[in-house]
Amino acid sequence: MIKKWEELPEWMRIPEVKPYYDALAKKKGSLRIKRAFDVAAASFLLVVLSPVFAGIAVAVAMDSSGGVFYRQERVTACGKRFRIHKFRTMQAGAERMGAQVTTAHDVRITKVGAVLRRYRLDELPQLLDVLAGNMTFVGARPEVPAYVSRYSRKMRATLLLPAGITSEASIRYKDEAKLLAGAESAAQAERIYVEQVLPKKMRYNLRSLKRFSVGQDVRVMLWTVAAVLGKEDAPAREQIFR
């Protein structure tokens, strides 16, 4: 899952990325287990959850006009671009109506979309991206190219591995839309996200990258389930990665 140092893009072969690369290079066995788990779990879940997929697809189609899926360009390992799979939760053409980040009470979100977002059901189709190798279950969330272009040199280390469906950062900031609710415009919301929210999330992403283990991935997945169900324990949450 990790390329040789000399095979990385030149813009990633920099001193700020090397410590994270060296840490991961020592865990090639764990990375192979991670990929094997991704393939097996994604394949199993796609089959088992197929009735859920069908039900959600019908609900999305009946709720508002537009396609069932939302396909936006994102960035994954080594800067590769791909079109992510998500159930559509906003009005068709929402990107032309505001910021690429979503704020609380965003008028572009549909009624069904609000429910899907609350329980993160809109992200189920990303199992297809995991199976294709563009994503993994646990890893830094994939950002749009415009935001990746704003990464600091150290932040580029998060592109050593495929983007993830969930992560410590995404759980801690699962209500990030509320942080952007006070923005007076789409431009201001994006500026707050890039200048304030993203750097804080990246600190968790970078820490998780250096401490990667299969056990940590399992804990993050369990924590994600608890967070979605609203049963996460805040004190335990703070202790889990020490």
Side-chain angles (χ1 to χ4, degrees), residues 140-195:
R141 288 293 297 165
E143 297 287 354
V144 296
Y147 295 164
V148 174
S149 68
R150 303 280 297 276
Y151 278 10
S152 69
R153 289 168 66 89
K154 182 182 288 189
M155 288 178 185
R156 297 175 193 176
T158 60
L159 299 174
L160 287 169
L161 297 180
I165 291 179
T166 188
S167 67
E168 178 184 4
S170 63
I171 299 170
R172 291 184 183 276
Y173 284 83
K174 65 186 179 72
D175 295 322
E176 70 177 33
K178 295 180 180 178
L179 300 176
L180 306 175
E184 297 179 354
S185 66
Q188 185 182 37
E190 292 193 336
R191 185 167 61 253
I192 292 173
Y193 179 76
V194 172
E195 297 178 359

Side-chain angles (χ1 to χ4, degrees), residues 52-223:
V52 177
F53 273 66
I56 293 175
V58 171
V60 171
M62 293 180 64
D63 185 47
S64 63
S65 60
V68 169
F69 293 108
Y70 173 65
R71 303 294 309 280
Q72 185 185 48
E73 188 175 59
R74 300 289 180 94
V75 180
T76 188
C78 297
K80 176 184 176 182
R81 298 189 180 191
F82 73 105
R83 293 180 66 80
I84 196 171
H85 288 81
K86 299 182 73 172
F87 281 120
R88 182 174 57 81
T89 61
M90 304 179 82
Q91 300 171 21
E95 287 184 316
R96 298 189 298 272
M97 301 162 58
Q100 295 192 69
V101 292
T102 307
T103 61
H105 311 299
D106 196 313
V107 295
R108 298 173 296 172
I109 299 175
T110 63
K111 292 181 179 179
V112 168
V115 176
L116 296 181
R117 282 172 174 265
R118 179 179 179 183
Y119 296 104
R120 298 186 69 172
L121 295 174
D122 58 315
E123 296 180 4
L124 284 178
Q126 288 167 39
L127 292 170
L128 296 171
D129 298 314
V130 171
L131 202 58
N134 291 322
M135 293 185 68
T136 181
F137 276 97
V138 179
R141 288 293 297 165
E143 297 287 354
V144 296
Y147 295 164
V148 174
S149 68
R150 303 280 297 276
Y151 278 10
S152 69
R153 289 168 66 89
K154 182 182 288 189
M155 288 178 185
R156 297 175 193 176
T158 60
L159 299 174
L160 287 169
L161 297 180
I165 291 179
T166 188
S167 67
E168 178 184 4
S170 63
I171 299 170
R172 291 184 183 276
Y173 284 83
K174 65 186 179 72
D175 295 322
E176 70 177 33
K178 295 180 180 178
L179 300 176
L180 306 175
E184 297 179 354
S185 66
Q188 185 182 37
E190 292 193 336
R191 185 167 61 253
I192 292 173
Y193 179 76
V194 172
E195 297 178 359
Q196 298 181 34
V197 178
L198 183 60
K200 293 178 181 178
K201 291 170 66 175
M202 279 297 180
R203 283 200 288 271
Y204 289 114
N205 288 333
L206 289 168
R207 184 178 71 172
S208 296
L209 193 66
K210 187 168 283 187
R211 299 180 180 181
F212 163 73
S213 70
V214 174
Q216 176 174 285
D217 274 12
V218 172
R219 287 192 291 272
V220 170
M221 286 187 283
L222 292 175
W223 183 12

Side-chain angles (χ1 to χ4, degrees), residues 33-46 130-131 137:
I33 293 174
K34 179 181 177 71
R35 179 56 187 160
F37 173 83
D38 282 348
V39 173
S43 299
F44 174 76
L45 289 173
L46 282 169
V130 171
L131 202 58
F137 276 97

